[in-house]
Amino acid sequence: MAPVPGPQRGEPISGLGYCRIAWRLLGLVLALIICVPLHYIWRTVHYGSPIPRLFLWIAARLCGARVRVHGTHLRRDVFFIANHVSWVDILALAGASGTAFVAKAELDRAPVVGWLSRLNRTVFVSREDRMGVADQINRLKEALADNWSITVFPEGTTTDNKSLLPFKTSMLRVLEPPPPGVLVQPVVLDYGPVGEWIGWIGTESGVDNALRVLARKGSFRLNVHFLEPFDPRDHTGRKAIAAEARARILPALESALGHPVRPFAHSVPQVGFSAPKEPETGPATAQEQAAHDRAAG
């Protein structure tokens, strides 16, 4: 992994790092002071407000992301399906397109980020709430109608920007059948050299990850690739829709990385993913076996 000017997972944050955190949080507070009143004033005149999109674009920049958009995103009646690396994904995608989101319930409890997500009508889902799936689907439909677009991260968790997990399809039930006129547009997020460092993975908490990112010196590039949309009516059922989206995202992600994706190294029991075990290695030849036995004896 390329060196980055920021603390690694588990390392203490320097005093200068905490100064960067304070400076960025101050910027977020000032942006909120300006944007929130404007948002509610706008809502007294018009139903849809562009202020959350503007604020989340500002928030992404304050957090260090320099977003470069590739391709053209649909502006309404679209269901974005994207790979997932970081909570910064939400700020960047919303700032670029105005989309609402489906996100895991844990994010709702994250300081600052959870509130920002709610501002943009994020639909929080709990994997444990099996009885509440119908309500989650209804809220998803409402968000699609209100925001004109909504984004799902079907991997169900964040990764290291060098892997692509199997897609879960439960939140694609809103596409069975697809709402009239709605298209699906796959999206690839690529953080370049800092992708592995910035990913919220392993046992790191959301707060610790946020502090690491906010403590980082300078900025980082986030490439957002909007791929060619497709009609979900051409694919029967949510599993076929997910498979088509993944089949488009995978080669585009590998093209952005410049190499094939690799197996994800962290098990995520919440989504039923188990990291592949390292193969047991032993002596390859009879001579090596004999040497190994002599050393062991």
Side-chain angles (χ1 to χ4, degrees):
M1 182 176 62
V4 292
Q8 301 295 336
R9 293 175 183 83
E11 290 184 355
I13 295 173
S14 67
L16 189 56
Y18 277 110
C19 288
R20 296 188 190 105
I21 292 172
W23 178 253
R24 285 171 169 144
L25 290 179
L26 176 61
L28 287 171
V29 170
L30 291 176
L32 282 173
I33 291 174
I34 296 171
C35 290
V36 170
L38 289 176
H39 169 66
Y40 288 110
I41 291 172
W42 187 285
R43 288 293 297 267
T44 63
V45 180
H46 301 281
Y47 181 71
S49 169
I51 305 302
R53 176 179 178 178
L54 172 63
F55 172 76
L56 292 168
W57 180 85
I58 294 172
R61 290 191 64 86
L62 287 172
C63 292
R66 300 297 179 262
V67 180
R68 175 176 288 182
V69 175
H70 305 265
T72 303
H73 66 83
L74 299 179
R75 299 189 178 277
R76 61 177 302 159
D77 298 329
V78 58
F79 206 84
F80 296 121
I81 296 181
N83 64 311
H84 198 14
V85 181
S86 167
W87 49 270
V88 181
D89 300 350
I90 292 177
L91 307 181
L93 271 173
S97 68
T99 181
F101 292 88
V102 178
K104 56 186 178 182
E106 294 89 333
L107 191 66
D108 188 24
R109 298 187 289 270
V112 183
V113 177
W115 187 85
L116 296 178
S117 301
R118 290 191 297 275
L119 185 67
N120 201 52
R121 290 294 303 274
T122 295
V123 178
F124 296 101
V125 298
S126 173
R127 303 183 187 96
E128 293 77 21
D129 186 13
R130 303 296 183 185
M131 302 301 293
V133 171
D135 178 62
Q136 293 171 359
I137 295 300
N138 287 334
R139 286 187 283 122
L140 190 61
K141 291 180 178 179
E142 291 173 1
L144 182 60
D146 288 348
N147 289 64
W148 295 347
S149 65
I150 196 160
T151 298
V152 169
F153 302 112
E155 291 170 285
T157 188
T158 47
T159 66
D160 55 7
N161 202 188
K162 297 183 182 297
S163 309
L164 189 66
L165 299 185
F167 282 4
K168 302 296 180 181
T169 64
S170 58
M171 284 300 104
L172 299 182
R173 290 177 180 170
V174 70
L175 298 176
E176 288 184 328
V182 169
L183 297 178
V184 171
Q185 186 166 22
V187 182
V188 171
L189 302 168
D190 173 36
Y191 287 78
V194 303
E196 189 172 0
W197 176 86
I198 209 169
W200 177 10
I201 58 177
T203 58
E204 185 179 37
S205 71
V207 172
D208 288 342
N209 180 270
L211 291 176
R212 279 201 310 111
V213 173
L214 294 176
R216 185 185 183 279
K217 179 182 178 181
S219 60
F220 53 88
R221 175 66 55 81
L222 170 51
N223 291 296
V224 181
H225 300 266
F226 289 97
L227 308 182
E228 195 67 24
F230 65 90
D231 193 332
R233 295 158 195 80
D234 295 337
H235 306 273
T236 305
R238 66 180 189 270
K239 291 184 178 181
I241 294 170
E244 176 65 19
R246 194 177 190 279
R248 297 182 181 215
I249 288 173
L250 178 59
L253 177 59
E254 291 182 333
S255 176
L257 294 174
H259 57 76
V261 298
R262 69 186 184 190
F264 191 49
H266 302 273
S267 296
V268 189
Q270 297 91 334
V271 299
F273 177 79
S274 297
K277 295 182 179 179
E278 291 291 335
E280 295 184 4
T281 59
T285 67
Q287 290 83 357
E288 290 175 344
Q289 180 67 59
H292 176 77
D293 292 342
R294 286 194 300 271

